Amino acid sequence: MQPLLSQACTETFQMVLWSTLIAVAAGLPLGILLVLTDRGGLLQNVLANKVIGQIVNIGRSMPFIILMVALMSFTRWVTGTTIGTTAAIVPLAIGGIPFFARLVETAVREVDNGLVEAVQSMGGNTWTIVRKALVPEALPSLIASTTTTIIALIGYSAMAGTVGGGGLGDLAVRYGYQRFETELMWITVAILAVVISLIQFAGDFAARSLYSRGGRSGPAPKLRLLKATEPAAADAGKTA
C-alpha cells in the first residue's frame, strides 16, 4: 500500500497546489474588481459588474463533475490530454477561480470605508487604495478564504480522481471500491481528514496571528495615515 499511497498523495498535492495558485492569482483581482465596479465603488460600472458577477455565478453554480466534462476540449488544447494529474489541474483551477473571487469580494467589502476615504483625501488613486488599504485590511479574511478554497479543491481533486485525474480519489475508487479493498479506502479517507484538519488549523492560526498583532491588517494602515497627517497639521499650525 505504501508506494500507492505515496504516489497518490504526491499527485493530490500537485493538483491542489497548482490549482490553488492559479485560483488565487486570478480570483483575487476578479473579486476586487467586483467591489470596485459595484454601485458606489471607485470604478463604478454597473454593466461590467453585472457581467462579471453573472460569469462568476455560472462558474460557481456548475457541479464540478459537469465542469470537468464541459472543459475536456479546452483541457486537451492546454495540456494535450484529458487524463492524468496535469489535465486535472485545468478544471480544478477554473472551478476554484469563481469560488475564491466571491470570498475575496466578501472580505474586501468588510473593510472600513472610512479608511478608503482617508486615502482618497491624501490624494491616493485607485491602485494605491487597493494596495495600501483594501488588501492589507482584508488580509486575515483573505487568508481564511484561501484556506477554504484549498479545502474545497482537495474535495474537487478527489472527485477528479474518479475520472482518471489520479490522486487519492483515484486510489480510493480503483482499489478501495472496485477491488473491494475496504481498508485502503478508509486509509485514504483518514489521510484526507488529517490533511484538511492541518490546513484548517494553519489557516486559522495565520489569520488569528494577523488579527492579534494588527500587522498589515490591523490598525497599522490607519496609524500610518495619522502619522502622515500629523506633520501636515503641524506645518499648518506654524504657518498660521
Side-chain angles (χ1 to χ4, degrees):
M1 291 184 183
Q2 186 173 358
L4 293 174
L5 287 171
S6 299
Q7 181 181 357
C9 290
T10 301
E11 291 172 348
T12 298
F13 175 76
Q14 291 175 347
M15 285 189 289
V16 174
L17 174 63
W18 288 108
S19 58
T20 299
L21 292 176
I22 297 172
V24 170
L28 180 61
L30 191 62
I32 294 175
L33 193 61
L34 283 170
V35 177
L36 296 180
T37 57
D38 199 4
R39 295 182 185 276
L42 298 174
L43 301 175
Q44 179 175 325
N45 190 320
V46 178
L47 179 60
N49 183 267
K50 288 185 176 180
V51 171
I52 298 173
Q54 192 61 32
I55 293 174
V56 170
N57 289 337
I58 292 174
R60 289 185 62 197
S61 63
M62 188 174 297
F64 181 70
I65 190 69
I66 297 177
L67 181 65
M68 287 189 64
V69 175
L71 292 174
M72 278 188 175
S73 298
F74 179 72
T75 301
R76 183 181 291 108
W77 178 73
V78 173
T79 64
T81 181
T82 58
I83 299 176
T85 303
T86 304
I89 293 174
V90 176
L92 281 172
I94 294 178
I97 289 172
F99 182 84
F100 185 68
R102 281 300 183 190
L103 295 177
V104 171
E105 180 188 9
T106 303
V108 173
R109 287 189 188 279
E110 295 175 354
V111 176
D112 184 9
N113 193 51
L115 180 60
V116 176
E117 294 176 352
V119 178
Q120 283 181 311
S121 66
M122 297 175 63
N125 56 20
T126 302
W127 169 244
T128 302
I129 293 172
V130 171
R131 187 167 58 91
K132 295 291 187 180
L134 295 181
V135 173
E137 283 288 309
L139 192 56
S141 297
L142 292 177
I143 291 177
S145 300
T146 303
T147 303
T148 303
T149 302
I150 293 173
I151 293 174
L153 289 175
I154 290 175
Y156 290 166
S157 69
M159 194 182 304
T162 63
V163 291
L168 291 171
D170 179 50
L171 183 66
V173 171
R174 285 194 297 118
Y175 290 88
Y177 177 73
Q178 296 177 350
R179 300 186 184 185
F180 302 101
E181 296 186 14
T182 309
E183 181 182 357
L184 182 59
M185 182 173 65
W186 284 111
I187 289 175
T188 59
V189 172
I191 291 174
L192 288 172
V194 171
V195 170
I196 288 174
S197 298
L198 290 175
I199 292 173
Q200 187 67 60
F201 174 78
D204 291 344
F205 178 78
R208 284 196 302 266
S209 298
L210 286 174
Y211 273 124
S212 61
R213 288 202 308 260
R216 295 187 58 191
S217 54
K222 297 179 182 179
L223 292 176
R224 286 197 294 268
L225 288 173
L226 291 174
K227 289 179 180 180
T229 55
E230 285 174 0
D235 292 341
K238 291 179 181 180
T239 302

